[in-house]
Amino acid sequence: MNSMVKRLSMVAIGALVGVSMASAETELDKVMKERGLTQQDLLAAAKTYTPSGGRDKYIVFSSGGQSGQIMVYGVPSMRILKYIGVFTPEPWQGWGYDDDTKAILAEGKIRGKQITWGDTHHPAISETDGKYDGKWLVINDKANPRLAVIDLKDFVTKQIVVNPVFKSDHGGAFFTPNSEYILEACQYGAPFDNNYHPIEEYKETYRGGVTVWKFDPKIGRIQPDKSFTIEMPPYMQDLSDAGKEASYGWGFTNSFNSEMYTGGIEKGLPPMEAGMSRNDTDFLHVYNWKKLAELAKDDKNVKIINGHRVVPIDVAVKNDALFLIPEPKSPHGVDVSPDGKYIVVCGKLDTHATVYSWDKIKKAIDNKDYAGKDPYGIPILDMKKTAHCQAELGLGPLHNQYGKNWKNGEIYTSLYVDSQVVRWDYLKCKVVDRQNVNYNIGHLCGMEGKTEDPQGDYIIALNKLAIDRFNEIGPLHPQNHQLIDIRGKKMQLLYDMPVPLGEPHQAVAIRASKLKPEVRYKMGTSAFTGKTHIGKTLAGQERIVRKGNHVYVYGTMVRSHINPEHVTVNLGDTVTFYLTNLERAEDETHGFTVDLYNVHTSLEPGKTVAVTFKADKEGVFPYYCTEFCSALHLEMMGYLLVKDPNKKYVSAHKLKMAKMSKEELEKEYKKIVATNAATDKVIQSVVKFLKENHYEKYPVVANLVKDALDQYGKIPEQKKKADEAYKKGDLEKAILFENMIWQYMVKTADVGIRARDLLVKKLATPMSPAAKRGYEAYLEGGCNGCHVIGKVSSGPDLVGVLQRHENGEKWVKEWILHPEKMYDNPYIKSMTNYFNLRMPNQGMTEKQVDDIIEYLKWIDKNANLF
Ligand code: RUQ
Ligand code: CUA
């Protein structure tokens, strides 16, 4: 009862907005003064604060940087929701500690080498018609050129592919507008093959390029055998973007080393940074991926390198599918406008952003209007003839995002050196507004800001440095994601979010309403194939099977036991645990580990996984559930016993323990039987309440009831066993089975009461504002210290208190205001004696007492629910 009242309290508190304005205001003033907050701060807080149970409008997928993972958080609250294990082990999710996830990580082996870290840079969400469809997410690993695909149905990584020819990659991942392909541009020029080539032969044997990965959006998998790479000069390709609408079918990739400088500081040569930034311009690569994809299907148009199709530069050039355009010194971001008509390029070492016009580029291409050719024979288009305009933005422009009003030129650019976000007009090349950020921003994340449908609302500044923004935690600081409101005329900085996973280069945001994740797996599913797992085991099918020296355990997990509980194997055996979480209830996750064997897995409801290891240590190893999943979670365990078949073990039989007498056993048996009968009564009353109030009309409640009845349904079988044992005089066994019945009852009651509480919430009439205030006063006055609604506890039950006395409201009011005046009243005297407690004067105001009476009326109105 008590817990139910507490839960009801939560609901009421949630609704307690705007309680007595006069007192709230002074409280607010006090807090503002104490914490040194301005009106502006309060406004920012109001724009980001999300009350308990609230939801965010946008979900952000941020690269986890060198952690090799992805971080998921909500906007505007900036609350972290999940880290997704991608390229690196993530113990909570069992990522890299069970067979299934190890197999995914093994897909990321490069030349046979397992790599246990990743340098994730650019996440991308799959698109349909140039808009996010919320189905798939991909991200690249720059250090070990790989891409990973994450399924947004369960937020789990499903595939890792290794780039067969690059030695690093940066300009990926970028979906084409219907997720037909994913573009992944190389970064550091290197030979495509895996052989040694002296650096002096850089121009001849080192190459850059863009890999065009075929993606199947129906199954969410990259198809390596249908993918190809466009060979490019070793110019150090960088960020990329896919054309859309007007420029659909084309891709854009910039580069920062048209000098093809190769350094050699240790030989007295100028360093890389000097050599690579010598020219005033580098090259934007413009390529027709659509045409090249057709060409690549024909063997005569490709070279096969490392088993992968590569379209050589000359083939691309001959087919008018590859061009270069000069772009200002050492550029970084290249971002195509939502209608595909403009391509905005930022020059990190130039104060300008250059806006290219697709119309003009197309015209130059069609007219073969070239300004020249590069050393590899690629036609160069004239920069002046293809540019629309240039805007002077400030120092170190890096990346761009489009605003809701993009048709009128609204765009946002990050300035790394100036630590600013600039709002400007890319049609007129005019700066509109600036917002300082802290500090040194890299990417910026708009809400769907690079799709054909930018939402505006916010920009997140992904800052590399935090410096003085947070509490000191040693020399390595967190990164700083800052939320900026862009809805007003002036941008407003709202929130600093420390990010403890560095360095999160890029993030993408999607409307939460576009995501449709599932809450459970179909029973016995492998999360990685989506198909039935070979180890699927249902209740009653648990078994241990030996095949040679491989022992297969087909096990199940359900609150609160693992079946089987004893597994005995020989030293040197290989052991596979197939485990299925039989739960249907939302969020009833179990975990599993075997002590000392360095294995772990997470079992969300319905999931089956395999955990394999070699039993190479003799001894006794507890295995257990690693999630606190129920009141009996600690009991959710078993033993792996590893014995050496060549050893003789001395029996410990002599160490017999003292035994209970028959009478003692009989007493214990009776006690547990009585406890079970009493518990069953509670269950029956809950069931009655649920039935009378038509729980079946509320799906969430109905699901819980189904779960509870599931547990309850297991009792008869146990009862039969208990009775049989009792008849045979095996009291010890009978007690254990009765005990098991009690376990099932507790589980039934636990879920049943949760169902009832939910139902109460759905059925109770809403509180009036006065009743809400009264409820708050009731709590503030500490009334709940002695009174429990619906139950006699340290004080009388308050249900019906207004009816118990003549002129009840007046009587109760007097009693709360001046209890001492009534201590001599015979009724009060008897109550005081009974409870051995006296009602204290809590110094309530008349107004508060009036409100409390309103609250008591609300209780009476809903009396049937308590
Ligand atoms: S990067 S800070 Cu996208 Cu790797 Cu620009
Ligand atoms: Cu299952 Cu703890």
Side-chain angles (χ1 to χ4, degrees):
M1 249 338 158
N2 211 348
S3 74
M4 183 180 82
V5 174
K6 270 195 202 131
R7 274 176 220 165
L8 261 183
S9 320
M10 298 299 202
V11 185
I13 289 169
L16 271 171
V17 179
V19 182
S20 73
M21 269 325 279
S23 71
E25 236 165 40
T26 50
E27 171 102 31
L28 194 60
D29 287 342
K30 217 174 95 197
V31 173
M32 282 176 74
K33 215 179 287 151
E34 267 172 22
R35 304 197 66 208
L37 301 176
T38 63
Q39 288 286 345
Q40 193 69 358
D41 294 333
L42 286 200
L43 186 62
K47 284 179 178 182
T48 53
Y49 174 70
T50 304
S52 175
R55 294 290 192 277
D56 279 304
K57 186 169 176 192
Y58 297 101
I59 298 296
V60 175
F61 297 95
S62 169
S63 146
Q66 293 90 319
S67 79
Q69 298 170 2
I70 286 178
M71 182 170 65
V72 186
Y73 61 85
V75 161
S77 77
M78 306 298 272
R79 296 177 302 182
I80 296 177
L81 300 169
K82 188 172 250 179
Y83 293 133
I84 303 175
V86 185
F87 295 111
T88 54
E90 201 294 311
W92 179 44
Q93 294 154 23
W95 193 252
Y97 300 92
D98 63 39
D99 300 7
D100 306 69
T101 59
K102 273 181 194 161
I104 303 281
L105 283 176
E107 289 176 0
K109 281 189 184 175
I110 301 183
R111 296 166 72 183
K113 194 178 179 67
Q114 177 100 43
I115 291 163
T116 54
W117 85 290
D119 186 15
T120 59
H121 276 240
H122 303 108
I125 298 170
S126 57
E127 298 175 13
T128 304
D129 296 331
K131 296 172 187 138
Y132 286 159
D133 56 24
K135 290 191 177 134
W136 311 100
L137 180 72
V138 290
I139 191 159
N140 72 312
D141 171 2
K142 167 171 168 171
N144 321 289
R146 303 181 286 182
L147 291 187
V149 182
I150 293 112
D151 188 343
L152 293 178
K153 273 239 144 35
D154 56 1
F155 288 54
V156 169
T157 305
K158 298 296 163 84
Q159 185 188 25
I160 296 177
V161 294
V162 176
N163 192 298
V165 290
F166 295 165
K167 307 300 177 268
S168 68
D169 92 69
H170 184 247
F174 297 95
F175 273 107
T176 57
N178 283 303
S179 305
E180 308 95 324
Y181 290 94
I182 301 164
L183 305 179
E184 179 198 24
C186 176
Q187 179 110 84
Y188 304 123
F192 277 2
D193 64 32
N194 292 335
N195 304 329
Y196 163 76
H197 296 271
I199 191 83
E200 290 72 23
E201 294 171 9
Y202 185 82
K203 292 176 185 160
E204 293 77 19
T205 59
Y206 288 45
R207 285 295 174 266
V210 171
T211 299
V212 183
W213 291 102
K214 180 83 190 108
F215 187 73
D216 182 343
K218 274 205 205 77
I219 56 166
R221 295 293 185 277
I222 290 169
Q223 301 179 301
D225 54 329
K226 296 194 176 128
S227 307
F228 65 98
T229 293
I230 311 165
E231 182 193 29
M232 290 174 184
Y235 292 158
M236 308 287 191
Q237 282 71 25
D238 198 34
L239 280 151
S240 311
D241 202 2
K244 39 183 145 343
E245 297 289 337
S247 50
Y248 175 79
W250 291 80
F252 305 92
T253 297
N254 48 30
S255 59
F256 58 82
N257 187 20
S258 56
E259 298 86 351
M260 292 190 277
Y261 188 66
T262 55
I265 197 169
E266 71 292 338
K267 297 174 197 141
L269 291 164
M272 294 269 195
E273 53 179 325
M276 289 184 185
S277 55
R278 188 170 124 199
N279 294 352
D280 281 339
T281 55
D282 284 293
F283 286 126
L284 174 66
H285 299 60
V286 179
Y287 46 93
N288 191 330
W289 59 259
K290 202 153 179 267
K291 193 190 261 183
L292 289 163
E294 282 311 309
L295 290 171
K297 286 178 187 163
D298 190 336
D299 284 351
K300 71 175 195 298
N301 292 325
V302 297
K303 284 187 284 195
I304 304 289
I305 305 177
N306 297 337
H308 172 77
R309 304 171 90 80
V310 176
V311 180
I313 294 175
D314 61 323
V315 174
V317 168
K318 213 166 43 214
N319 286 283
D320 294 327
L322 178 60
F323 303 91
L324 299 171
I325 311 179
E327 51 184 1
K329 223 176 174 64
S330 304
H332 195 39
V334 45
D335 300 284
V336 178
S337 65
D339 55 7
K341 287 190 179 157
Y342 297 94
I343 298 117
V344 181
V345 171
C346 290
K348 335 191 263 288
L349 298 185
D350 192 275
T351 51
H352 293 89
T354 307
V355 182
Y356 292 90
S357 151
W358 174 248
D359 279 352
K360 291 182 178 177
I361 294 173
K362 192 74 195 2
K363 210 165 113 199
I365 290 174
D366 290 346
N367 296 339
K368 297 199 188 290
D369 180 2
Y370 306 145
K373 286 196 169 171
D374 85 332
Y376 297 86
I378 307 173
I380 300 172
L381 309 182
D382 187 84
M383 180 169 163
K384 286 227 175 63
K385 285 187 186 163
T386 49
H388 168 70
C389 59
Q390 273 197 325
E392 170 131 27
L393 300 182
L395 296 178
L398 291 188
H399 298 284
N400 313 291
Q401 291 281 313
Y402 293 88
K404 200 177 178 70
N405 202 9
W406 61 270
K407 281 192 182 131
N408 292 319
E410 185 188 2
I411 191 170
Y412 297 82
T413 298
S414 51
L415 300 184
Y416 180 81
V417 180
D418 275 341
S419 290
Q420 275 182 347
V421 171
V422 198
R423 173 194 278 165
W424 57 289
D425 178 334
Y426 68 89
L427 295 173
K428 303 204 183 92
C429 278
K430 217 178 69 206
V431 171
V432 180
D433 187 23
R434 288 175 191 280
Q435 172 67 50
N436 289 331
V437 295
N438 317 88
Y439 300 91
N440 297 75
I441 176 174
H443 276 273
L444 72 181
C445 168
M447 304 299 111
E448 304 185 14
K450 282 222 11 209
T451 68
E452 292 189 23
D453 196 15
Q455 296 296 300
D457 287 355
Y458 308 100
I459 286 282
I460 304 164
L462 280 63
N463 306 321
K464 314 282 182 192
L465 310 184
I467 308 182
D468 58 356
R469 293 293 100 176
F470 305 110
N471 290 57
E472 289 70 29
I473 51 161
L476 181 63
H477 295 230
Q479 311 261 315
N480 186 10
H481 283 196
Q482 289 183 304
L483 183 69
I484 299 166
D485 184 351
I486 58 167
R487 289 168 294 190
K489 263 193 104 134
K490 272 295 297 164
M491 289 182 268
Q492 185 198 359
L493 184 64
L494 297 181
Y495 194 82
D496 280 24
M497 176 209 205
V499 177
L501 286 187
E503 177 216 315
H505 296 262
Q506 158 78 315
V508 286
I510 180 172
R511 272 168 280 176
S513 59
K514 287 191 157 195
L515 297 170
K516 304 266 180 296
E518 279 162 358
V519 297
R520 64 177 72 75
Y521 291 104
K522 214 174 118 220
M523 194 55 71
T525 306
S526 154
F528 305 98
T529 61
K531 300 193 183 109
T532 301
H533 198 289
I534 50 161
K536 174 181 174 180
T537 310
L538 297 179
Q541 301 175 342
E542 296 90 350
R543 63 201 183 275
I544 300 171
V545 180
R546 173 178 283 280
K547 282 190 190 145
N549 47 14
H550 198 145
V551 177
Y552 297 88
V553 181
Y554 292 83
T556 60
M557 318 258 300
V558 75
R559 271 162 294 171
S560 322
H561 54 259
I562 302 170
N563 190 351
E565 292 181 339
H566 301 160
V567 175
T568 305
V569 302
N570 290 327
L571 185 64
D573 280 346
T574 301
V575 183
T576 296
F577 274 89
Y578 288 123
L579 296 164
T580 301
N581 179 352
L582 297 178
E583 309 276 358
R584 273 186 302 246
E586 194 166 333
D587 205 15
E588 262 311 324
T589 295
H590 301 289
F592 177 82
T593 186
V594 181
D595 291 0
L596 266 60
Y597 274 106
N598 197 35
V599 290
H600 183 240
T601 190
S602 166
L603 286 133
E604 299 89 61
K607 187 164 145 187
T608 300
V609 294
V611 175
T612 300
F613 55 92
K614 199 169 158 91
D616 53 4
K617 299 260 178 299
E618 181 195 333
V620 174
F621 306 91
Y623 52 80
Y624 67 95
C625 167
T626 56
E627 288 277 321
F628 207 109
C629 52
S630 65
L632 292 160
H633 148 79
L634 295 177
E635 290 79 351
M636 193 164 177
M637 59 93 57
Y639 285 104
L640 172 74
L641 303 121
V642 183
K643 63 173 202 289
D644 185 343
N646 303 315
K647 243 190 191 170
K648 272 229 176 327
Y649 295 94
V650 186
S651 162
H653 241 68
K654 282 163 244 150
L655 305 165
K656 275 274 178 225
M657 301 275 291
K659 266 195 169 176
M660 273 173 124
S661 73
K662 183 133 202 287
E663 291 68 40
E664 283 169 325
L665 283 172
E666 187 75 37
K667 213 166 125 201
E668 193 184 336
Y669 174 76
K670 291 232 166 86
K671 197 172 128 203
I672 176 87
V673 169
T675 306
N676 284 351
T679 313
D680 199 39
K681 253 198 197 148
V682 175
I683 294 175
Q684 293 314 327
S685 79
V686 173
V687 169
K688 189 162 160 259
F689 174 87
L690 289 166
K691 280 193 180 150
E692 281 172 3
N693 291 291
H694 304 287
Y695 73 90
E696 65 284 351
K697 282 198 278 191
Y698 309 92
V700 186
V701 182
N703 265 336
L704 284 172
V705 173
K706 200 167 154 206
D707 238 55
L709 292 180
D710 244 29
Q711 298 286 344
Y712 198 69
K714 293 179 180 147
I715 291 174
E717 195 194 325
Q718 300 291 324
K719 185 72 193 159
K720 217 175 103 200
K721 288 184 187 163
D723 290 349
E724 273 167 19
Y726 185 75
K727 247 187 249 153
K728 277 192 209 143
D730 189 345
L731 281 168
E732 296 230 24
K733 227 187 201 167
I735 288 168
L736 289 179
F737 282 124
E738 285 293 340
N739 224 332
M740 194 59 225
I741 292 173
W742 184 73
Q743 309 276 0
Y744 282 127
M745 283 183 164
V746 169
K747 288 177 214 167
T748 308
D750 180 43
V751 185
I753 288 172
R754 243 196 282 166
R756 186 189 57 190
D757 291 355
L758 254 182
L759 191 56
V760 167
K761 278 184 203 166
K762 305 224 181 257
L763 295 174
T765 53
M767 282 195 201
S768 68
K772 279 180 203 164
R773 286 194 304 266
Y775 173 65
E776 213 203 5
Y778 175 83
L779 292 182
E780 266 175 26
C783 309
N784 58 335
C786 295
H787 298 281
V788 172
I789 310 293
K791 196 177 165 187
V792 178
S793 57
S794 312
D797 183 4
L798 295 183
V799 176
V801 67
L802 297 174
Q803 272 79 49
R804 283 208 282 272
H805 304 275
E806 208 174 312
N807 231 334
E809 285 183 34
K810 204 173 147 243
W811 190 95
V812 170
K813 186 168 174 179
E814 268 309 295
W815 176 228
I816 301 177
L817 283 174
H818 311 291
E820 57 289 341
K821 284 192 191 161
M822 288 156 84
Y823 286 157
D824 288 336
N825 172 308
Y827 169 77
I828 296 296
K829 260 190 174 164
S830 72
M831 293 296 268
T832 307
N833 280 339
Y834 178 79
F835 286 105
N836 205 9
L837 263 177
R838 233 164 36 180
M839 167 88 164
N841 187 331
Q842 296 296 78
M844 299 249 172
T845 66
E846 241 190 278
K847 169 103 179 35
Q848 282 177 315
V849 177
D850 286 340
D851 289 340
I852 287 181
I853 288 178
E854 285 309 306
Y855 171 57
L856 292 173
K857 283 191 200 158
W858 177 85
I859 288 175
D860 283 350
K861 224 189 285 163
N862 294 288
N864 61 321
L865 302 177
F866 297 106

